[in-house]
Amino acid sequence: MRAFSAGLTLIFGLHCLAMTLAVAAEPEWRHGVSLTGALKYKPGFEAFDYVRRDAPKGGTLRLSTAGAFDSLNFVIPRGNPAPGLESYVYQSLFVHGLDEPVSSYGELAEAVRYPDDFAFVTFRLNPQARWHDGKPVTVDDVIFSFNAQVTNDPSKRLYYRDVVKVEKTGSEDVTFTFGHPGNREVASILSQLHILPKHWWEGTDAQGRRRDITQTTLEPPLGSGPYKVKSIDPGRAIVYERVKDWWGAKQPTNVGRYNFDELRISVFRDSTVELEGFKADEIDWRSENSALQWSTQYNFPAVQDGRVVKENFPERASGRMQGFAFNIRKAKFSDPRVRLAFNYAFDFEEANRSLFYGLYKRINSYFEGTDLASKDVPAGLEREILETVRGQVPDEVFTTPYANPVGGTAEKARANLREANRLLGEAGWVIKDRKLVHSTTGETLSAEFLINSPAFQRIILPYQSALERLGITVTIRQVDPSQYIARLNNRDFDIIVGVWPQSLSPGNEQRDFWGSEAADHDNSRNYIGIKNTAVDKLVDRVIFARDRTELEAATRALDRVLLWNQYVVPQFTRSDTWTARWDRFGRPDKLPAYGSSGFPDIWWFDEAKAKRVGGKP
């Protein structure tokens, strides 16, 4: 009997031990997620430090954007969704804090958990979260949103390609399972997923027609965010109004934010007309991208008497590559020597002096503006990573820091053109009847620059002259925004001005930028058409980096390989954002370190200032 009792005790003890181990193995719930280390804000925090908690609500903010819109459905790649939908009408599971590099805190979800090997991630929804019709945000909404976006948008499908299963694992819990454990970024990028109301999209509109998420629509959508669509003038303007009984107003991540009662966003097809609209007090805020306009067009009376304020805000949260990007799907641009010759023909220093008032610096990295940019020669872990692709990348990757050709004087410009001519000759291009033709195929080397703004013409014209001195036939084709997007998606171009923004923690988006699979997707940002196994390997190394040290080394290795393949002629950038505003607004005393201006989310309408400025609002 004692033996039987002892056996039961042993079995019971083992069972309890197994339960204890199982419980211990469960990952802990977290109120936030960070890719760089510990979170700044502890559980139960009341608000972000960079907001004014009692910021006044009210007033109207008038903004502008370039390019028309024809849809209020952002899910599908067809059409042009209205500006502001994802920022103001919809919410994501978590939201970024602007005083940390890459940290996020609960929004529609209140907690997240994942194991050490990042094999899955589970989000627990906030039971208070509501759609604007009062119905709760559910796990079914999350699953529906994920499936809708990866099914209908190739770029999202690529972005979330590691997710093999999404399922309900509790009344408020949704779990994403990954096919390749070790991707420490996936929890963060899934937290950015914008959530859609399943019941609304599966319902009918006012005319009794069943809604279809695969089609464009101008029906104002149902959201859960701080604003809803008040009115639209298709292709010209959209107006958002603040939801007065918004469920999330008192959430810690939202206190002190979204202070304007109304947001009006007007669409302009021409930046010159947009600037005139700002001068005429039709727009409240303008971010300027043209050195010419910033230097010459902001001296009108309202600037001189202080009613309009010019201010530069430092940009610390992101970097970028901007350059003349080749469509290497075309044989004439498939040889990197040809692409490098185009770089030798571009005299940035002269352009910066004569066109840009010396306000720009040359881009020398795909991660320009961040500490992830490659420099010197590779060493340590970065070199170890590069050794895994030796023989698949240019030899210079290991021996020579990348640097763009330098011009600025007549002598340097002539020397650069001589080098360009030498490179073109090596690639098989020879001069016949003053035209550059291929010695084997007889094809004439021509290049069409496809642009959607006249602002680029003044940059390309002197570049065109230099290229034509080499015998290259050059044309500039300006089209309207809708035509430009169509040609871009159809890969119907020779050279465009490509822009790739970079965060402080690069990851899955790099597949969309440079990955071989993305090269064949019309809506990917692999405009260039890169299909390079070494690049693919390095992109995966970035995505599956085990810690920050490895991430930095892998990113610099990727940067170096992209640069030495000469996929673009790098252009120019600056380290701050140029802005001008009619002085009707207030802001916190200290702006967030990684949020640039923080406008408009943490600003507010100041009635006293507005009264002094006068004008139209």
Side-chain angles (χ1 to χ4, degrees):
M1 189 73 177
R2 276 197 296 266
F4 178 72
S5 176
L8 286 176
T9 301
L10 177 61
I11 292 170
F12 180 73
L14 291 172
H15 178 68
C16 290
L17 177 61
M19 291 182 63
T20 300
L21 290 173
V23 170
E26 286 290 328
E28 64 177 335
W29 287 103
R30 308 164 188 257
H31 71 294
V33 58
S34 173
L35 293 175
T36 58
L39 294 163
K40 174 181 178 179
Y41 295 96
K42 305 302 181 185
F45 75 97
E46 296 181 354
F48 290 130
D49 290 345
Y50 52 81
V51 302
R52 174 179 164 181
R53 299 188 185 189
D54 63 344
K57 307 290 186 184
T60 295
L61 174 64
R62 301 165 305 163
L63 302 172
S64 62
T65 188
F69 70 89
D70 56 14
S71 178
L72 297 182
N73 178 10
F74 74 88
V75 172
I76 55 176
R78 295 188 306 278
N80 303 312
L85 284 174
E86 293 174 87
S87 300
Y88 302 119
V89 174
Y90 295 107
Q91 293 177 277
S92 53
L93 296 169
F94 274 48
V95 64
H96 284 304
L98 298 181
D99 52 354
E100 299 172 87
V102 279
S103 296
S104 300
Y105 298 88
E107 190 168 46
L108 288 178
E110 64 179 6
V112 62
R113 66 180 181 182
Y114 44 84
D116 292 339
D117 65 355
F118 300 95
F120 68 87
V121 61
T122 300
F123 294 96
R124 173 162 290 168
L125 297 185
N126 188 331
Q128 299 179 44
R130 292 290 184 275
W131 299 106
H132 294 157
D133 63 3
K135 294 184 178 180
V137 178
T138 67
V139 171
D140 287 342
D141 292 325
V142 178
I143 296 173
F144 169 81
S145 301
F146 177 81
N147 289 334
Q149 292 178 57
V150 299
T151 299
N152 294 293
D153 187 339
S155 63
K156 291 287 181 65
R157 184 158 58 247
L158 191 64
Y159 193 53
Y160 295 120
R161 61 181 283 183
D162 286 330
V163 178
V164 296
K165 182 169 61 174
V166 54
E167 60 186 329
K168 184 175 184 177
T169 51
S171 60
E172 305 291 343
D173 298 352
V174 57
T175 297
F176 298 84
T177 303
F178 312 130
H180 300 90
N183 186 342
R184 58 194 299 271
E185 191 203 26
V186 178
S188 179
I189 64 173
L190 281 168
S191 75
Q192 301 163 15
L193 182 71
H194 285 90
I195 308 305
L196 304 158
K198 179 182 179 182
H199 70 279
W200 189 83
W201 277 104
E202 293 184 345
T204 56
D205 62 18
Q207 286 73 42
R209 296 172 298 199
R210 191 170 185 82
R211 298 186 180 96
D212 185 351
I213 203 167
T214 69
Q215 301 298 318
T216 60
T217 180
L218 290 174
E219 180 185 11
L222 177 70
S224 64
Y227 292 88
K228 60 183 179 181
V229 176
K230 179 180 180 180
S231 63
I232 60 169
D233 185 355
R236 299 181 62 184
I238 185 167
V239 179
Y240 297 98
E241 62 180 342
R242 188 164 60 86
V243 178
K244 300 297 175 60
D245 58 349
W246 181 39
W247 78 271
K250 295 182 180 180
Q251 293 295 308
T253 52
N254 297 319
V255 171
R257 299 174 65 202
Y258 309 120
N259 301 311
F260 295 98
D261 275 351
E262 191 170 274
L263 304 175
R264 300 178 184 176
I265 306 177
S266 299
V267 174
F268 291 84
R269 295 177 182 268
D270 186 287
S271 61
T272 302
V273 178
E274 185 177 5
L275 175 57
E276 292 305 314
F278 174 76
K279 292 180 178 180
D281 198 8
E282 300 288 346
I283 304 165
D284 289 310
W285 175 284
R286 179 168 169 80
S287 294
E288 184 55 72
N289 295 315
S290 166
L292 172 65
Q293 293 191 156
W294 187 245
S295 299
T296 64
Q297 297 298 309
Y298 288 83
N299 56 358
F300 52 97
V303 174
Q304 296 168 356
D305 63 27
R307 288 177 295 148
V308 167
V309 177
K310 294 174 62 179
E311 187 168 4
N312 295 356
F313 294 98
E315 181 56 71
R316 302 187 184 96
S318 63
R320 68 194 276 128
M321 165 54 80
Q322 176 176 311
F324 295 113
F326 300 93
N327 185 354
I328 67 173
R329 302 170 184 84
K330 299 191 172 186
K332 59 187 175 182
F333 298 128
S334 62
D335 192 320
R337 291 170 295 187
V338 172
R339 304 193 293 266
L340 179 56
F342 272 74
N343 198 350
Y344 271 99
F346 180 56
D347 192 340
F348 162 74
E349 287 72 22
E350 175 59 24
N352 195 35
R353 183 193 66 79
S354 61
L355 299 177
F356 307 142
Y357 299 83
L359 295 176
Y360 288 128
K361 62 179 180 179
R362 188 82 191 267
I363 289 176
N364 286 286
S365 167
Y366 280 76
F367 300 87
E368 187 73 36
T370 76
D371 61 2
L372 299 168
S374 60
K375 58 184 178 181
D376 303 326
V377 295
L381 180 56
E382 182 187 350
R383 188 177 183 91
E384 290 179 25
I385 293 171
L386 285 168
E387 289 291 348
T388 66
V389 292
R390 184 182 279 276
Q392 305 171 52
V393 300
D395 292 339
E396 294 90 341
V397 163
F398 296 93
T399 61
T400 311
Y402 178 85
N404 288 299
V406 177
T409 67
E411 293 79 8
K412 289 179 179 179
R414 284 194 296 270
N416 285 341
L417 288 178
R418 284 195 296 269
E419 179 61 15
N421 188 62
R422 184 189 70 79
L423 288 164
L424 290 166
E426 280 189 2
W429 297 91
V430 297
I431 292 289
K432 286 186 179 180
D433 299 324
R434 296 188 177 183
K435 298 293 183 184
L436 202 60
V437 300
H438 199 274
S439 58
T440 302
T441 66
E443 176 189 8
T444 300
L445 184 54
S446 62
E448 179 185 85
F449 287 80
L450 181 68
I451 60 175
N452 65 353
S453 169
F456 288 116
Q457 287 201 26
R458 59 191 294 270
I459 301 169
I460 298 173
L461 283 172
Y463 189 25
Q464 176 183 19
S465 177
L467 292 169
E468 287 177 341
R469 289 178 64 184
L470 293 169
I472 301 170
T473 302
V474 178
T475 57
I476 304 171
R477 179 65 57 86
Q478 182 183 337
V479 297
D480 64 40
S482 60
Q483 287 180 294
Y484 183 81
I485 292 171
R487 288 190 61 175
L488 203 63
N489 289 342
N490 292 329
R491 310 312 193 199
D492 179 20
F493 65 89
D494 284 348
I495 299 174
I496 60 168
V497 177
V499 180
W500 294 270
Q502 298 286 4
S503 74
L504 298 180
S505 185
N508 282 38
E509 76 286 344
Q510 303 302 311
R511 285 174 173 159
D512 192 47
F513 292 171
W514 331 114
S516 295
E517 186 178 343
D520 295 326
H521 290 168
D522 291 349
N523 289 91
S524 80
R525 287 171 287 182
N526 188 347
Y527 310 121
I528 298 167
I530 299 171
K531 288 187 176 182
N532 185 315
T533 56
V535 170
D536 291 338
K537 289 178 183 178
L538 294 175
V539 165
D540 279 348
R541 195 67 185 262
V542 169
I543 292 171
F544 292 99
R546 291 164 294 185
D547 52 38
R548 185 69 187 179
T549 299
E550 184 177 350
L551 175 69
E552 291 176 354
T555 302
R556 292 182 184 125
L558 172 64
D559 182 33
R560 214 178 287 272
V561 170
L562 291 170
L563 288 167
W564 277 108
N565 272 289
Q566 314 295 342
Y567 292 127
V568 304
V569 175
Q571 291 185 345
F572 35 82
T573 189
R574 59 186 189 273
S575 58
D576 52 10
T577 301
W578 304 329
T579 73
R581 66 182 183 271
W582 288 88
D583 192 20
R584 299 185 176 100
F585 311 106
R587 72 184 191 204
D589 294 333
K590 185 177 181 181
L591 295 176
Y594 298 97
S596 187
S597 66
F599 186 86
D601 284 3
I602 61 175
W603 293 54
W604 58 86
F605 186 80
D606 187 315
E607 292 188 2
K609 284 187 174 183
K611 186 175 181 179
R612 287 196 298 271
V613 169
K616 298 185 178 182

